[in-house]
């Protein structure tokens, strides 16, 4: 990973020095292990703060919305797809961006690793496919493959789809079954489905971390905050909690790249990706669409084609 | 909606022209029968106001 760091810093420094960009959006070390934080670097001398490792799961495309300056942005596969989505949706223009592509081999699942150990995690280091976690002074070695974020384990676009500079050679893409979890839910009967989601959402505290972390959720006023009309109750009633989650998912239909930012941000560890993934699967199966792969095609939900599927209309 | 556990027979999409009154009647009858067969909806209903 250190060669990634060097290259990221070198490119960022050059871009800032040559005034090609006003700032670089990247990650710097957080105050806690596994919590790298997004940062805006505006001076070439600060570029040394930038880091890259397996704890950069936050989707940086989130910070591009309606920006007016010229921006260099570090982008792994999913970030790059969300940047494409942002450009398509006119939230930023391509000319404003210098995209520094980072081939990605997956991010560490913070919830999973934390729950594996009784004490506080003091330090996390990585070396190739191995992760060393220090808990109470004891070093535990894990395979990175065992603690990958769930969305990273089934990711099929690890390399940036759009970039101006590339930090390293592309990594090999995975050939995996992306939708096994969705199919498991589809196979349930209505009652089982209902109970599955009831249990899934029961710990939700409506903190909205999921929507704040999501690069797609950029509406000036979210539907949950509107009061005239009030689309959804603001309390903890299970009906309102569920309405929030499934409506948010619908707003991401045909746009979600399964970057996992929502699940990663959730303080109580809800896998709300099962909502967005169903829509992602439908987009793929019915419209052959995967979000954020190209600037040249409009998304299926804002185009009409005579062969759009319509079997559901009776 | 179906994915979340709403019974498929409760949801119905139709395309009916304003000139197709017979089709409209047929569809309404069909949907009503299906929903009656399912009974009252238990989900997505707030049964009582929650007091904090």
């Amino acid at each position: 990973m250190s060669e990634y760091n060097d290259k990221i810093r070198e490119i960022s420094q050059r871009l800032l020095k040559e005034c090609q960009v006003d700032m670089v959006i990247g990650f710097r070390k957080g105050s806690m292990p596994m919590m790298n934080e997004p940062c805006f670097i505006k001076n070439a001398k600060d570029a040394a703060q930038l880091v890259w490792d397996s704890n950069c799961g936050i989707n940086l495309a989130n910070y591009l919305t309606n920006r007016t300056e010229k921006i260099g942005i570090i982008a792994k596969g999913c970030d790059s797809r969300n940047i494409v989505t942002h450009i398509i949706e006119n939230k930023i223009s391509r000319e404003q961006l210098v995209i520094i592509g980072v081939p990605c081999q997956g991010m560490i699942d913070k919830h999973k690793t934390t729950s594996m150990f009784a004490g506080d995690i003091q330090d996390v280091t990585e070396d190739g496919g191995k992760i060393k976690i220090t808990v109470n002074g004891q070093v535990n070695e894990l395979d990175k493959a065992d603690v990958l974020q769930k969305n990273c384990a089934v990711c099929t676009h690890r390399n940036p789809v759009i970039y101006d500079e590339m930090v390293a050679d592309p990594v090999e893409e995975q050939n995996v079954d992306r939708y096994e979890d969705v199919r498991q839910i589809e196979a349930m009967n209505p009652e089982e489905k209902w109970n599955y989601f009831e249990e899934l959402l029961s710990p939700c505290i409506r903190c909205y971390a999921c929507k704040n972390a999501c690069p797609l959720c950029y509406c000036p006023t979210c539907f949950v905050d509107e009061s005239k009309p009030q689309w959804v109750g603001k309390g903890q009633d299970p009906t309102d909690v569920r309405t929030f989650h499934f409506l948010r998912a619908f707003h991401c239909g045909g746009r979600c790249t399964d970057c996992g930012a929502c699940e990663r941000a959730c303080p109580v560890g809800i896998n709300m990706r099962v909502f967005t993934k169903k829509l992602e699967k439908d987009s793929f199966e019915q419209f052959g669409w995967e979000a954020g792969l190209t600037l040249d095609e409009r998304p299926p939900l804002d185009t009409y084609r005579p062969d759009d599927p319509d079997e559901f209309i009776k | 909606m179906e994915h979340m556990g709403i019974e498929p027979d409760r949801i119905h999409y139709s395309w009916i022209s304003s000139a197709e009154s017979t089709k409209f009647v047929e569809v309404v009858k069909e949907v009503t029968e299906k929903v009656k067969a399912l009974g009252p909806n238990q989900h997505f209903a707030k049964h009582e106001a929650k007091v904090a």
Side-chain angles (χ1 to χ4, degrees):
Chain A
M1 283 294 140
S2 66
E3 60 275 26
Y4 273 38
N5 279 340
D6 295 342
K7 193 85 185 152
I8 286 174
R9 288 170 193 165
E10 179 212 310
I11 295 171
S12 309
Q13 215 157 25
R14 171 161 47 81
L15 292 176
L16 286 162
K17 244 186 208 149
E18 293 172 1
C19 292
Q20 286 191 50
V21 297
D22 301 323
M23 64 176 179
V24 172
I25 304 182
F27 286 96
R28 70 174 166 218
K29 214 92 215 109
S31 50
M32 285 165 71
M34 294 193 292
M35 293 283 268
N36 285 351
E37 57 189 24
C39 65
F40 293 13
I41 302 288
K42 294 183 174 165
N43 289 313
K45 63 174 171 32
D46 296 333
Q49 291 177 17
L50 291 167
V51 293
W52 188 269
D53 56 23
S54 298
N55 304 301
C56 299
I58 291 169
N59 193 327
L60 295 180
N62 203 12
Y63 300 96
L64 291 180
T65 313
N66 296 335
R67 284 265 163 197
T68 49
E69 54 276 76
K70 290 210 72 172
I71 297 171
I73 181 163
I74 319 277
K76 52 191 181 294
C78 46
D79 298 31
S80 76
R81 294 174 63 195
N82 278 104
I83 293 172
V84 168
T85 306
H86 254 61
I87 298 171
I88 285 183
E89 295 174 356
N90 294 325
K91 287 290 119 191
I92 190 106
S93 73
R94 178 70 183 93
E95 295 70 42
Q96 271 172 274
L97 297 175
V98 177
I99 301 167
I100 307 164
V102 183
C104 171
Q105 291 189 306
M107 294 295 151
I108 301 175
D109 187 333
K110 181 163 55 81
H111 296 300
K112 190 171 176 181
T113 5
T114 317
S115 66
M116 284 165 88
F117 301 101
D120 282 342
I121 294 178
Q122 288 145 343
D123 189 35
V124 176
T125 53
E126 58 186 294
D127 183 16
K130 297 277 180 206
I131 310 280
K132 282 190 183 141
I133 299 182
T134 315
V135 184
N136 299 335
Q138 266 198 323
V139 181
N140 304 270
E141 197 173 272
L142 297 170
D143 275 331
K144 184 176 163 185
D146 296 334
V147 287
L148 273 187
Q149 278 184 199
K150 290 197 261 325
N151 65 307
C152 297
V154 295
C155 174
T156 52
H157 295 282
R158 301 165 125 193
N159 295 301
V161 296
I162 181 176
Y163 56 86
D164 300 295
E165 309 254 0
M166 196 72 160
V167 167
D169 291 330
V171 293
E172 201 181 325
E173 294 289 2
Q174 309 185 100
N175 189 8
V176 284
D177 175 15
R178 287 180 51 61
Y179 299 119
E180 199 204 332
D181 49 349
V182 186
R183 272 196 297 274
Q184 274 175 10
I185 301 172
E186 283 170 345
M188 296 177 187
N189 68 35
E191 201 54 36
E192 288 168 346
K193 283 179 184 171
W194 184 267
N195 294 333
Y196 172 83
F197 287 110
E198 206 69 355
E199 194 155 313
L200 176 83
L201 298 178
S202 61
C204 179
I205 53 170
R206 296 283 291 275
C207 68
Y208 300 143
C210 46
K211 86 172 166 74
N212 291 337
C214 177
L216 302 174
C217 284
Y218 55 64
C219 293
T221 308
C222 178
F223 73 95
V224 294
D225 295 323
E226 283 189 341
S227 50
K228 276 185 177 180
Q230 188 179 23
W231 306 105
V232 52
K234 293 173 192 296
Q236 290 291 103
D237 190 293
T239 306
D240 295 326
V241 174
R242 185 183 287 240
T243 306
F244 159 61
H245 280 283
F246 94 84
L247 269 185
R248 192 187 85 81
F250 269 125
H251 291 180
C252 303
R255 306 164 67 218
C256 177
T257 58
D258 199 24
C259 70
C262 46
E263 189 185 359
R264 185 185 177 87
C266 182
V268 291
I270 297 172
N271 176 15
M272 66 291 284
R273 284 173 44 250
V274 291
F275 283 101
T276 44
K277 256 191 108 177
K278 163 69 176 163
L279 291 158
E280 202 211 335
K281 176 171 177 277
D282 285 355
S283 307
F284 184 60
E285 288 178 351
Q286 304 193 27
F287 300 95
W289 173 260
E290 285 183 278
L293 293 188
T294 168
L295 288 171
D296 306 321
E297 212 180 319
R298 295 301 306 175
L301 289 181
D302 75 359
T303 43
Y304 168 72
R305 279 182 301 183
D307 61 344
D308 279 345
D310 58 0
E311 297 85 56
F312 66 95
I313 304 173
K314 287 167 204 149
Chain B
M1 296 292 270
E2 285 174 29
H3 188 65
M4 228 167 30
I6 299 290
E7 298 90 336
D9 280 350
R10 280 193 204 280
I11 307 159
H12 194 101
Y13 290 92
S14 273
W15 180 268
I16 309 171
S17 147
S18 59
E20 295 177 309
S21 56
T22 3
K23 185 179 173 189
F24 179 75
V25 172
E26 275 165 21
V27 170
V28 170
K29 273 187 186 156
E30 190 195 325
V31 174
T32 319
E33 268 165 32
K34 281 185 174 169
V35 175
K36 271 189 180 157
L38 283 171
N41 175 36
Q42 300 300 323
H43 300 322
F44 263 115
K46 292 188 188 175
H47 297 291
E48 59 194 71
K50 219 176 184 181
V51 184

